[in-house]
Every structure is written in C-alpha cells, then in structure tokens.
Amino acid sequence: MTEPMQFVDLKSQYAALKSSIDERIQRVLNHGHYIMGPEVAELESELASRTGALHCIAVASGTEALLISLMAIGLRPGDEVITTPFTFAATVEMIVLLGGKPVFVDIESDTCNIDASLIEAKITGRTRAIMPVSLYGQVANMDEINAIADGHDNIAVIEDAAQSFGATYKGRKSCNLSTIGCTSFFPSKPLGCYGDGGAIFTNDHTLAQVCREIRVHGQSGRYQHIRVGVGGRMDTLQCAVVLGKLERFEWEIEQRHALGERYRRLLVDVPGVRLLVVRPDRDCVWAQFTLFATDRGSLQRVLTQWGIPTAVHYPMSLHQQPAYAGYAGADEFPHTVRSAAQVLSLPMSADLTESQQDTVVSALLAATGSAHRR
Ligand SMILES: Cc1ncc(COP(=O)(O)O)c(C=O)c1O
C-alpha cells in the first residue's frame, strides 16, 4: 500500500539523512552535554557563515528568538512596533508580552508581505522597531524598510524570517538583511529540527552579546545575572539534528525552487486560482506553496477527497483575533482580510515527487472544473 501524501514529508527526509542525523545524535548521547554542548557553537558558526552574518545565537524556538531580540533592543512598555497582521501569532504575541504596542499595516495584495509604502505614516515618537515577516519563504521589501528606519533615530528592523531561512533577496541571505533576523527550526520549516529550535542573526557585536546573555537568564558568567533574561537555550540534541540536515540543505533549496516553479507553471491561468507573485530580485524557498483560491472551501473538499492534505496560513487576520483586536484602532486591512479568506497552501517539501505534484495539480484542476481544458 502506498503511503498517504504528507503536507511536509519529514519521513522521506529522515530516510535520506538517517546516517548523518543518527550519527550526530549518537555523538551527543555519548558526550552527554545536553545543554550548551559543543554542537550549539558548531551550528551557530555554520549558520553564521551560510548567511554571512557575523553572529548567530541558537535559541529555544522562533518565538524565543523574537522575544530575546525585542528584549535586546530594549523594548519597553508602551513602545510601538510596526508589523503585519497577516502572520503567525508569535510575531505579535512577543511584542504584547513585553508591554509593547503592535501597530499594524496592511500587506501587498500579490505577495502577502507587509506593504512598505504604508509604514512611514505609522511612525511616531514611540516607534522602536519595524518587524516585517518574510512570509511563505519570500523576503519582504527589506531595503525600503531599512531606509525608512534609517530616516529616524533608534528604530531597529527585525526580520521575522521564521519561514525564510535559505531565501535570498538581491543576492543576499534572509536573516542577514537588517538589525536582527530571527528564524525558526520548527520541524516543518525549510530548515527544521525534531522539536523546537530557532536562531537570531545580527552583525552588531553588542546586540549579539546581549542576546547571548538574555538566552541564559541574563548571565554574563555563571551566576552573574547582569540583566533580566529567559531560559532560551536550544537543546544540544536539536542542534545536532539541524547540523545533520545541513548536509543536503543546498539541494533541498534547489528542489524547493524547482517544485515551486513547476507548481506555478502547471497552475497558471486556472479559473478561480491566483498565484502569489515572486519579485524578480528574490528567491522564494516556499516554506509552503500558497496560492489564492476564490472558492477555497470547495477546493479543499475536493483535494481532501483525493487524499491531498492542505492548510491555510492564516484563516484570520490577527487584528480580528480576540487577543489582538484592540490594537487595530479604526484601521481596516483590506488586503489582509481578503487574503485570509482566500489563501490555500499545497503540499511542499524537498522530497515531494513530481508524480505526487501531478496528483495535486490534477485534483486542483478537477476541483476548479478546468481539467478538460488541459
Ligand atoms: C512567521 C512566524 N513567526 C514566528 C514563528 C514562531 O516560530 P516557533 O514555532 O519556532 O516558535 C512562526 C512559526 O510558525 C512563524 O511562521
């Protein structure tokens, strides 16, 4: 019997990388340094060199990376952070947790990334950071956003690159495009571990040192608590898993590009389906392959009947979620609201085969009544 199709095929990935991942895990079991063992620094140095950033700090999750970064820039209660309402809750959650105020601006209708042209109008004397999210694996308009921040005093740009590790922007790497970049190693991310993990990237020596201290309860040395921190370390075992996965990561990124392009070729001009636009100056890593569907509900139903898993990232704008509704004021976010009603993510991972992809496409064509036209 053939295995049911996976939304993200982690089983095939493990089968391909078994010897390298097993060996690395066994090494940790042998040396027994489960907290801040040698694999932590090894991973940090490997990821720093892959992104070109001077510093990488491995942390407990993508959420923790955002929290530690906001603490490191000194976010205080009442400070404002400009961000998008079309993201996973963690982006906004960490601002609110520190007493900050998320200031939402709408997204671009074709990429779902924050619309940089709307940011300047939202800057006030309390703005402390701009937090773009490189959604679905496509980097946001970082140069425009950095330029806006540079035009003011003391505004940091923190890229939420949870979905975009491995993506490029004008030839530069996501995570190393602004004051700080934060990524996630959640298992289904382009570079995932086998649990929770994340990383912070920066070229600022002071910020890097502060992040390192915050990660270990604000310690500069053992029991020297010079600032308030958190328990934000990434487990040595999870670092070993990511190191094992790096063995074929470049190949995986190429596969993602190729599969993404193939989806786009096969799904062009399907009635009721609109493809996300990828800007010519960047490579998307397709953390998930997301498109817009006018009648999402019926498409999902047909795909489910064909045994094809789908997902919605995200079904509701954060400004409509009870926890964050108070931060929207009178603003409306028409592109976000429309995208939340239409986005649909299809199976995507480096191990998705072309024949599986053909099945997804056939199901989609059948669902839209356009199979006969092909
Ligand atoms: C945009 C975005 N930000 C932050 C996070 C949080 O990452 P983690 O799950 O590793 O805490 C995620 C994870 O889903 C995400 O997609």
mmCIF file of all heavy atoms in Angstrom, residues 60-66 86-93 132-136 160-163 182-189 195-199 287-288 313-314, ligand 1:
data_model
loop_
_atom_site.group_PDB
_atom_site.id
_atom_site.type_symbol
_atom_site.label_atom_id
_atom_site.label_comp_id
_atom_site.label_asym_id
_atom_site.label_seq_id
_atom_site.Cartn_x
_atom_site.Cartn_y
_atom_site.Cartn_z
ATOM 1 N N ALA A 60 15.716 28.658 21.804
ATOM 2 C CA ALA A 60 14.782 27.561 22.011
ATOM 3 C C ALA A 60 13.694 27.430 20.939
ATOM 4 O O ALA A 60 13.124 26.350 20.774
ATOM 5 C CB ALA A 60 14.125 27.720 23.391
ATOM 6 N N SER A 61 13.399 28.496 20.218
ATOM 7 C CA SER A 61 12.344 28.452 19.187
ATOM 8 C C SER A 61 12.377 29.765 18.413
ATOM 9 O O SER A 61 13.075 30.716 18.806
ATOM 10 C CB SER A 61 10.956 28.288 19.832
ATOM 11 O OG SER A 61 10.639 29.443 20.597
ATOM 12 N N GLY A 62 11.564 29.831 17.360
ATOM 13 C CA GLY A 62 11.435 31.083 16.628
ATOM 14 C C GLY A 62 10.774 32.142 17.504
ATOM 15 O O GLY A 62 11.124 33.330 17.451
ATOM 16 N N THR A 63 9.823 31.705 18.301
ATOM 17 C CA THR A 63 9.133 32.620 19.217
ATOM 18 C C THR A 63 10.135 33.241 20.191
ATOM 19 O O THR A 63 10.141 34.449 20.439
ATOM 20 C CB THR A 63 8.045 31.849 19.997
ATOM 21 O OG1 THR A 63 7.191 31.208 19.054
ATOM 22 C CG2 THR A 63 7.249 32.751 20.898
ATOM 23 N N GLU A 64 10.991 32.381 20.746
ATOM 24 C CA GLU A 64 12.003 32.838 21.704
ATOM 25 C C GLU A 64 12.990 33.797 21.017
ATOM 26 O O GLU A 64 13.461 34.756 21.628
ATOM 27 C CB GLU A 64 12.747 31.604 22.227
ATOM 28 C CG GLU A 64 13.350 31.759 23.591
ATOM 29 C CD GLU A 64 12.312 31.679 24.709
ATOM 30 O OE1 GLU A 64 11.202 31.182 24.485
ATOM 31 O OE2 GLU A 64 12.642 32.151 25.802
ATOM 32 N N ALA A 65 13.295 33.531 19.753
ATOM 33 C CA ALA A 65 14.205 34.414 19.007
ATOM 34 C C ALA A 65 13.614 35.823 18.928
ATOM 35 O O ALA A 65 14.317 36.820 19.132
ATOM 36 C CB ALA A 65 14.449 33.860 17.599
ATOM 37 N N LEU A 66 12.305 35.897 18.660
ATOM 38 C CA LEU A 66 11.641 37.206 18.590
ATOM 39 C C LEU A 66 11.640 37.879 19.956
ATOM 40 O O LEU A 66 11.930 39.072 20.088
ATOM 41 C CB LEU A 66 10.203 37.035 18.081
ATOM 42 C CG LEU A 66 10.052 36.524 16.640
ATOM 43 C CD1 LEU A 66 8.604 36.141 16.350
ATOM 44 C CD2 LEU A 66 10.525 37.578 15.640
ATOM 45 N N PHE A 86 -0.902 39.904 9.076
ATOM 46 C CA PHE A 86 -1.056 38.635 8.362
ATOM 47 C C PHE A 86 0.186 37.788 8.589
ATOM 48 O O PHE A 86 1.094 37.709 7.768
ATOM 49 C CB PHE A 86 -1.276 38.893 6.868
ATOM 50 C CG PHE A 86 -1.877 37.710 6.151
ATOM 51 C CD1 PHE A 86 -3.021 37.095 6.639
ATOM 52 C CD2 PHE A 86 -1.306 37.210 4.994
ATOM 53 C CE1 PHE A 86 -3.581 35.999 5.987
ATOM 54 C CE2 PHE A 86 -1.859 36.120 4.334
ATOM 55 C CZ PHE A 86 -2.991 35.508 4.830
ATOM 56 N N THR A 87 0.233 37.186 9.769
ATOM 57 C CA THR A 87 1.387 36.403 10.203
ATOM 58 C C THR A 87 0.931 35.422 11.264
ATOM 59 O O THR A 87 -0.202 35.492 11.752
ATOM 60 C CB THR A 87 2.489 37.333 10.759
ATOM 61 O OG1 THR A 87 3.599 36.542 11.234
ATOM 62 C CG2 THR A 87 1.993 38.207 11.907
ATOM 63 N N PHE A 88 1.838 34.511 11.642
ATOM 64 C CA PHE A 88 1.558 33.639 12.771
ATOM 65 C C PHE A 88 1.573 34.502 14.045
ATOM 66 O O PHE A 88 2.334 35.466 14.138
ATOM 67 C CB PHE A 88 2.612 32.528 12.849
ATOM 68 C CG PHE A 88 2.388 31.580 13.978
ATOM 69 C CD1 PHE A 88 1.209 30.845 14.054
ATOM 70 C CD2 PHE A 88 3.329 31.427 14.976
ATOM 71 C CE1 PHE A 88 0.987 29.976 15.110
ATOM 72 C CE2 PHE A 88 3.117 30.552 16.031
ATOM 73 C CZ PHE A 88 1.946 29.828 16.091
ATOM 74 N N ALA A 89 0.752 34.122 15.010
ATOM 75 C CA ALA A 89 0.552 34.950 16.205
ATOM 76 C C ALA A 89 1.842 35.310 16.939
ATOM 77 O O ALA A 89 1.941 36.383 17.555
ATOM 78 C CB ALA A 89 -0.402 34.235 17.166
ATOM 79 N N ALA A 90 2.859 34.438 16.852
ATOM 80 C CA ALA A 90 4.078 34.650 17.645
ATOM 81 C C ALA A 90 4.696 36.032 17.394
ATOM 82 O O ALA A 90 5.229 36.652 18.322
ATOM 83 C CB ALA A 90 5.106 33.566 17.326
ATOM 84 N N THR A 91 4.621 36.510 16.160
ATOM 85 C CA THR A 91 5.233 37.801 15.820
ATOM 86 C C THR A 91 4.693 38.894 16.748
ATOM 87 O O THR A 91 5.448 39.677 17.328
ATOM 88 C CB THR A 91 4.882 38.180 14.350
ATOM 89 O OG1 THR A 91 5.001 37.034 13.524
ATOM 90 C CG2 THR A 91 5.743 39.297 13.840
ATOM 91 N N VAL A 92 3.371 38.919 16.857
ATOM 92 C CA VAL A 92 2.701 39.993 17.587
ATOM 93 C C VAL A 92 2.651 39.679 19.094
ATOM 94 O O VAL A 92 2.774 40.565 19.939
ATOM 95 C CB VAL A 92 1.288 40.164 16.988
ATOM 96 C CG1 VAL A 92 0.439 41.100 17.821
ATOM 97 C CG2 VAL A 92 1.413 40.681 15.552
ATOM 98 N N GLU A 93 2.535 38.402 19.386
ATOM 99 C CA GLU A 93 2.462 37.932 20.770
ATOM 100 C C GLU A 93 3.649 38.428 21.606
ATOM 101 O O GLU A 93 3.497 38.861 22.753
ATOM 102 C CB GLU A 93 2.495 36.404 20.693
ATOM 103 C CG GLU A 93 2.161 35.623 21.914
ATOM 104 C CD GLU A 93 2.183 34.138 21.553
ATOM 105 O OE1 GLU A 93 3.063 33.674 20.792
ATOM 106 O OE2 GLU A 93 1.305 33.433 22.043
ATOM 107 N N PRO A 132 9.079 43.278 9.811
ATOM 108 C CA PRO A 132 8.487 42.623 8.643
ATOM 109 C C PRO A 132 8.572 41.108 8.794
ATOM 110 O O PRO A 132 9.455 40.599 9.495
ATOM 111 C CB PRO A 132 9.379 43.097 7.493
ATOM 112 C CG PRO A 132 10.676 43.469 8.118
ATOM 113 C CD PRO A 132 10.415 43.823 9.558
ATOM 114 N N VAL A 133 7.663 40.415 8.158
ATOM 115 C CA VAL A 133 7.682 38.947 8.165
ATOM 116 C C VAL A 133 7.916 38.491 6.728
ATOM 117 O O VAL A 133 7.209 38.935 5.823
ATOM 118 C CB VAL A 133 6.335 38.389 8.673
ATOM 119 C CG1 VAL A 133 6.330 36.859 8.636
ATOM 120 C CG2 VAL A 133 6.050 38.887 10.083
ATOM 121 N N SER A 134 8.907 37.656 6.514
ATOM 122 C CA SER A 134 9.170 37.137 5.161
ATOM 123 C C SER A 134 8.301 35.902 4.960
ATOM 124 O O SER A 134 8.744 34.762 5.134
ATOM 125 C CB SER A 134 10.664 36.865 4.994
ATOM 126 O OG SER A 134 11.378 38.093 5.075
ATOM 127 N N LEU A 135 7.046 36.180 4.595
ATOM 128 C CA LEU A 135 6.007 35.148 4.621
ATOM 129 C C LEU A 135 6.145 34.141 3.483
ATOM 130 O O LEU A 135 6.480 34.512 2.360
ATOM 131 C CB LEU A 135 4.635 35.829 4.559
ATOM 132 C CG LEU A 135 3.464 35.028 5.112
ATOM 133 C CD1 LEU A 135 3.537 34.866 6.617
ATOM 134 C CD2 LEU A 135 2.134 35.666 4.724
ATOM 135 N N TYR A 136 5.828 32.913 3.793
ATOM 136 C CA TYR A 136 5.836 31.795 2.826
ATOM 137 C C TYR A 136 7.225 31.514 2.253
ATOM 138 O O TYR A 136 7.365 30.756 1.295
ATOM 139 C CB TYR A 136 4.849 32.039 1.668
ATOM 140 C CG TYR A 136 3.434 32.356 2.085
ATOM 141 C CD1 TYR A 136 2.686 33.302 1.390
ATOM 142 C CD2 TYR A 136 2.840 31.713 3.164
ATOM 143 C CE1 TYR A 136 1.381 33.590 1.762
ATOM 144 C CE2 TYR A 136 1.540 32.008 3.553
ATOM 145 C CZ TYR A 136 0.823 32.945 2.851
ATOM 146 O OH TYR A 136 -0.467 33.235 3.228
ATOM 147 N N ASP A 160 11.274 38.894 10.775
ATOM 148 C CA ASP A 160 10.762 37.595 11.212
ATOM 149 C C ASP A 160 10.929 36.658 10.023
ATOM 150 O O ASP A 160 10.113 36.624 9.105
ATOM 151 C CB ASP A 160 9.298 37.690 11.654
ATOM 152 C CG ASP A 160 8.760 36.348 12.155
ATOM 153 O OD1 ASP A 160 9.364 35.306 11.829
ATOM 154 O OD2 ASP A 160 7.715 36.335 12.848
ATOM 155 N N ALA A 161 12.049 35.943 10.052
ATOM 156 C CA ALA A 161 12.419 35.059 8.948
ATOM 157 C C ALA A 161 12.146 33.599 9.318
ATOM 158 O O ALA A 161 12.823 32.690 8.843
ATOM 159 C CB ALA A 161 13.884 35.268 8.595
ATOM 160 N N ALA A 162 11.124 33.394 10.157
ATOM 161 C CA ALA A 162 10.789 32.028 10.589
ATOM 162 C C ALA A 162 10.548 31.113 9.395
ATOM 163 O O ALA A 162 10.837 29.926 9.443
ATOM 164 C CB ALA A 162 9.556 32.049 11.494
ATOM 165 N N GLN A 163 10.003 31.690 8.299
ATOM 166 C CA GLN A 163 9.648 30.863 7.146
ATOM 167 C C GLN A 163 10.642 31.006 5.996
ATOM 168 O O GLN A 163 10.405 30.459 4.923
ATOM 169 C CB GLN A 163 8.238 31.247 6.664
ATOM 170 C CG GLN A 163 7.191 31.096 7.754
ATOM 171 C CD GLN A 163 5.779 31.433 7.284
ATOM 172 O OE1 GLN A 163 5.511 31.581 6.100
ATOM 173 N NE2 GLN A 163 4.857 31.542 8.238
ATOM 174 N N CYS A 182 15.415 36.764 12.676
ATOM 175 C CA CYS A 182 15.032 35.655 13.568
ATOM 176 C C CYS A 182 14.466 34.516 12.736
ATOM 177 O O CYS A 182 13.581 34.751 11.911
ATOM 178 C CB CYS A 182 13.924 36.098 14.533
ATOM 179 S SG CYS A 182 14.435 37.380 15.672
ATOM 180 N N THR A 183 14.949 33.302 12.961
ATOM 181 C CA THR A 183 14.338 32.188 12.243
ATOM 182 C C THR A 183 13.872 31.107 13.207
ATOM 183 O O THR A 183 14.134 31.171 14.415
ATOM 184 C CB THR A 183 15.271 31.613 11.159
ATOM 185 O OG1 THR A 183 14.479 30.862 10.225
ATOM 186 C CG2 THR A 183 16.349 30.706 11.742
ATOM 187 N N SER A 184 13.148 30.136 12.642
ATOM 188 C CA SER A 184 12.572 29.036 13.426
ATOM 189 C C SER A 184 13.028 27.712 12.836
ATOM 190 O O SER A 184 13.113 27.580 11.613
ATOM 191 C CB SER A 184 11.040 29.124 13.349
ATOM 192 O OG SER A 184 10.445 27.881 13.694
ATOM 193 N N PHE A 185 13.308 26.754 13.705
ATOM 194 C CA PHE A 185 13.603 25.394 13.237
ATOM 195 C C PHE A 185 12.455 24.446 13.580
ATOM 196 O O PHE A 185 12.666 23.245 13.783
ATOM 197 C CB PHE A 185 14.925 24.886 13.844
ATOM 198 C CG PHE A 185 16.099 25.783 13.557
ATOM 199 C CD1 PHE A 185 16.903 26.264 14.586
ATOM 200 C CD2 PHE A 185 16.392 26.163 12.256
ATOM 201 C CE1 PHE A 185 17.972 27.101 14.325
ATOM 202 C CE2 PHE A 185 17.465 27.009 11.978
ATOM 203 C CZ PHE A 185 18.252 27.474 13.017
ATOM 204 N N PHE A 186 11.248 24.974 13.685
ATOM 205 C CA PHE A 186 10.054 24.135 13.839
ATOM 206 C C PHE A 186 10.141 23.061 12.751
ATOM 207 O O PHE A 186 10.574 23.342 11.629
ATOM 208 C CB PHE A 186 8.814 25.021 13.655
ATOM 209 C CG PHE A 186 7.513 24.338 13.946
ATOM 210 C CD1 PHE A 186 7.046 24.219 15.247
ATOM 211 C CD2 PHE A 186 6.746 23.808 12.906
ATOM 212 C CE1 PHE A 186 5.839 23.591 15.506
ATOM 213 C CE2 PHE A 186 5.539 23.180 13.162
ATOM 214 C CZ PHE A 186 5.085 23.067 14.470
ATOM 215 N N PRO A 187 9.754 21.812 13.052
ATOM 216 C CA PRO A 187 10.037 20.702 12.127
ATOM 217 C C PRO A 187 9.636 20.940 10.668
ATOM 218 O O PRO A 187 10.328 20.490 9.760
ATOM 219 C CB PRO A 187 9.248 19.542 12.738
ATOM 220 C CG PRO A 187 9.197 19.855 14.198
ATOM 221 C CD PRO A 187 9.131 21.354 14.304
ATOM 222 N N SER A 188 8.537 21.649 10.425
ATOM 223 C CA SER A 188 8.076 21.796 9.041
ATOM 224 C C SER A 188 8.684 22.994 8.312
ATOM 225 O O SER A 188 8.376 23.230 7.147
ATOM 226 C CB SER A 188 6.550 21.930 9.034
ATOM 227 O OG SER A 188 6.171 23.066 9.775
ATOM 228 N N LYS A 189 9.543 23.734 8.972
ATOM 229 C CA LYS A 189 10.140 24.908 8.329
ATOM 230 C C LYS A 189 11.182 24.466 7.289
ATOM 231 O O LYS A 189 11.639 23.322 7.311
ATOM 232 C CB LYS A 189 10.814 25.798 9.389
ATOM 233 C CG LYS A 189 9.852 26.365 10.412
ATOM 234 C CD LYS A 189 8.894 27.358 9.793
ATOM 235 C CE LYS A 189 8.125 28.148 10.827
ATOM 236 N NZ LYS A 189 6.678 28.025 10.736
ATOM 237 N N GLY A 195 11.902 19.067 16.999
ATOM 238 C CA GLY A 195 11.267 19.618 18.196
ATOM 239 C C GLY A 195 11.216 21.109 17.965
ATOM 240 O O GLY A 195 10.946 21.556 16.860
ATOM 241 N N ASP A 196 11.541 21.877 19.002
ATOM 242 C CA ASP A 196 11.574 23.335 18.856
ATOM 243 C C ASP A 196 13.011 23.824 18.783
ATOM 244 O O ASP A 196 13.902 23.300 19.454
ATOM 245 C CB ASP A 196 10.875 23.995 20.049
ATOM 246 C CG ASP A 196 9.359 24.016 19.870
ATOM 247 O OD1 ASP A 196 8.898 24.444 18.792
ATOM 248 O OD2 ASP A 196 8.646 23.596 20.799
ATOM 249 N N GLY A 197 13.203 24.872 18.011
ATOM 250 C CA GLY A 197 14.518 25.497 17.912
ATOM 251 C C GLY A 197 14.397 26.775 17.104
ATOM 252 O O GLY A 197 13.396 26.989 16.413
ATOM 253 N N GLY A 198 15.393 27.618 17.196
ATOM 254 C CA GLY A 198 15.365 28.862 16.430
ATOM 255 C C GLY A 198 16.722 29.529 16.494
ATOM 256 O O GLY A 198 17.645 29.026 17.148
ATOM 257 N N ALA A 199 16.861 30.653 15.799
ATOM 258 C CA ALA A 199 18.153 31.357 15.830
ATOM 259 C C ALA A 199 17.965 32.840 15.572
ATOM 260 O O ALA A 199 17.023 33.258 14.895
ATOM 261 C CB ALA A 199 19.111 30.761 14.806
ATOM 262 N N ALA A 287 8.254 27.959 1.962
ATOM 263 C CA ALA A 287 8.040 27.278 3.240
ATOM 264 C C ALA A 287 6.754 26.465 3.148
ATOM 265 O O ALA A 287 6.635 25.380 3.710
ATOM 266 C CB ALA A 287 7.942 28.301 4.366
ATOM 267 N N GLN A 288 5.777 27.032 2.443
ATOM 268 C CA GLN A 288 4.624 26.253 1.973
ATOM 269 C C GLN A 288 4.231 26.862 0.642
ATOM 270 O O GLN A 288 4.483 28.046 0.410
ATOM 271 C CB GLN A 288 3.450 26.253 2.965
ATOM 272 C CG GLN A 288 3.031 27.582 3.523
ATOM 273 C CD GLN A 288 3.783 27.928 4.791
ATOM 274 O OE1 GLN A 288 4.180 27.051 5.549
ATOM 275 N NE2 GLN A 288 3.986 29.206 5.038
ATOM 276 N N HIS A 313 -2.705 29.244 5.799
ATOM 277 C CA HIS A 313 -1.798 30.134 6.560
ATOM 278 C C HIS A 313 -2.074 31.581 6.144
ATOM 279 O O HIS A 313 -1.505 32.048 5.184
ATOM 280 C CB HIS A 313 -0.344 29.818 6.249
ATOM 281 C CG HIS A 313 0.071 28.416 6.459
ATOM 282 N ND1 HIS A 313 0.086 27.465 5.463
ATOM 283 C CD2 HIS A 313 0.503 27.788 7.575
ATOM 284 C CE1 HIS A 313 0.515 26.317 5.939
ATOM 285 N NE2 HIS A 313 0.772 26.478 7.220
ATOM 286 N N TYR A 314 -3.001 32.257 6.766
ATOM 287 C CA TYR A 314 -3.701 32.008 8.006
ATOM 288 C C TYR A 314 -5.170 32.341 7.778
ATOM 289 O O TYR A 314 -5.468 33.260 7.000
ATOM 290 C CB TYR A 314 -3.101 32.844 9.140
ATOM 291 C CG TYR A 314 -1.633 32.449 9.325
ATOM 292 C CD1 TYR A 314 -0.624 33.121 8.657
ATOM 293 C CD2 TYR A 314 -1.299 31.346 10.110
ATOM 294 C CE1 TYR A 314 0.707 32.721 8.785
ATOM 295 C CE2 TYR A 314 0.034 30.958 10.257
ATOM 296 C CZ TYR A 314 1.023 31.640 9.576
ATOM 297 O OH TYR A 314 2.327 31.235 9.689
HETATM 298 C C1 LIG B 1 6.040 33.926 10.839
HETATM 299 C C2 LIG B 1 6.360 33.132 12.054
HETATM 300 N N1 LIG B 1 6.871 33.745 13.138
HETATM 301 C C3 LIG B 1 7.194 33.062 14.243
HETATM 302 C C4 LIG B 1 7.005 31.706 14.338
HETATM 303 C C5 LIG B 1 7.320 31.009 15.618
HETATM 304 O O1 LIG B 1 8.298 30.013 15.487
HETATM 305 P P1 LIG B 1 8.331 28.796 16.505
HETATM 306 O O2 LIG B 1 7.182 27.908 16.199
HETATM 307 O O3 LIG B 1 9.661 28.143 16.237
HETATM 308 O O4 LIG B 1 8.264 29.351 17.863
HETATM 309 C C6 LIG B 1 6.487 31.012 13.242
HETATM 310 C C7 LIG B 1 6.265 29.559 13.319
HETATM 311 O O5 LIG B 1 5.295 29.021 12.862
HETATM 312 C C8 LIG B 1 6.144 31.735 12.076
HETATM 313 O O6 LIG B 1 5.643 31.121 10.999
#
